[in-house]
Amino acid sequence: MRCPYCAFADSKVVDSRPDRDSSVIRRRRECESCGKRFTTYERVEEVLPLIMKKDGRREPYIREKVIGGIKKACEKRPVSIESIEDMVARLEGRLFESGEKEIPSTVIGEWIMSGLHEIDEVAYVRFASVYRSFRDINEFMAELQDILEGERGKKKR
């Protein structure tokens, strides 16, 4: 593993621990040249389906792109990075379990919106406003109305 500080090619593992759900191994490493320590994460490489975009293109699934979009929706909201990573891990589990070779981006977008709706409704609305490309304020208000009606239904139970 290349050192991020001095770019030396060799490092030794000082400590290894599984993540909460044992799907990721966290390793503390020490550079054999400069002696600085850094952390790496190791996960099983799963073959995830290609993503079919709305315009017909196909792209590989990119975890960082998904996390980036979710983080953008959660900016300045009380949402921890752990809850975002857990949500993405569940999404990837669904992708892997689907067994599909290709999956529409619309399905992934809906899964993300569903996860955000459970975590933070403001983040959900932010993501939905970009993802669904509301054409005008009426479409946006209709979405907000659905959320408000859902909240009223929860309070009555």
Side-chain angles (χ1 to χ4, degrees), residues 65-76:
K65 193 173 175 181
V66 172
I67 288 177
I70 295 169
K71 279 183 177 178
K72 193 103 175 134
C74 294
E75 261 179 22
K76 299 181 182 179

Side-chain angles (χ1 to χ4, degrees), residues 43-152:
R43 74 177 73 245
V44 173
E45 184 176 35
E46 299 170 338
V47 179
L48 294 168
L50 286 175
I51 309 305
M52 297 183 310
K53 306 298 272 183
K54 292 177 185 176
D55 64 4
R57 291 179 297 123
R58 276 139 176 84
E59 291 183 355
Y61 170 84
I62 302 170
R63 177 184 179 86
E64 293 75 25
K65 193 173 175 181
V66 172
I67 288 177
I70 295 169
K71 279 183 177 178
K72 193 103 175 134
C74 294
E75 261 179 22
K76 299 181 182 179
R77 299 295 305 153
V79 178
S80 69
I81 190 67
E82 289 82 19
S83 60
I84 292 172
E85 288 176 351
D86 288 345
M87 189 175 94
V88 172
R90 287 191 307 274
L91 169 77
E92 289 172 346
R94 288 177 82 174
L95 286 171
F96 188 68
E97 289 170 5
S98 75
E100 299 291 327
K101 294 186 190 295
E102 296 180 336
I103 192 159
S105 62
T106 54
V107 170
I108 294 171
E110 293 296 327
W111 288 349
I112 292 171
M113 285 192 300
S114 173
L116 283 173
H117 194 274
E118 293 173 15
I119 294 172
D120 186 274
E121 290 179 343
V122 172
Y124 162 77
V125 170
R126 286 178 178 171
F127 188 89
S129 68
V130 172
Y131 176 73
R132 291 200 175 141
S133 304
F134 295 130
R135 288 186 294 274
D136 58 31
I137 192 71
N138 293 325
E139 286 183 8
F140 187 73
M141 291 303 292
E143 188 70 30
L144 290 175
Q145 191 63 39
D146 289 345
I147 292 171
L148 290 173
E149 287 173 6
E151 285 299 309
R152 286 186 203 121

Side-chain angles (χ1 to χ4, degrees), residues 3-8 10 30-38:
C3 174
Y5 302 105
C6 71
F8 189 70
D10 290 326
E30 185 175 306
C31 176
E32 294 185 356
S33 175
C34 70
K36 291 191 177 178
R37 291 186 174 192
F38 57 98

Side-chain angles (χ1 to χ4, degrees), residues 20-37:
R20 290 183 299 277
D21 61 357
S22 298
S23 64
V24 177
I25 302 291
R26 177 186 181 272
R27 299 194 192 280
R28 285 294 292 162
R29 297 178 176 271
E30 185 175 306
C31 176
E32 294 185 356
S33 175
C34 70
K36 291 191 177 178
R37 291 186 174 192

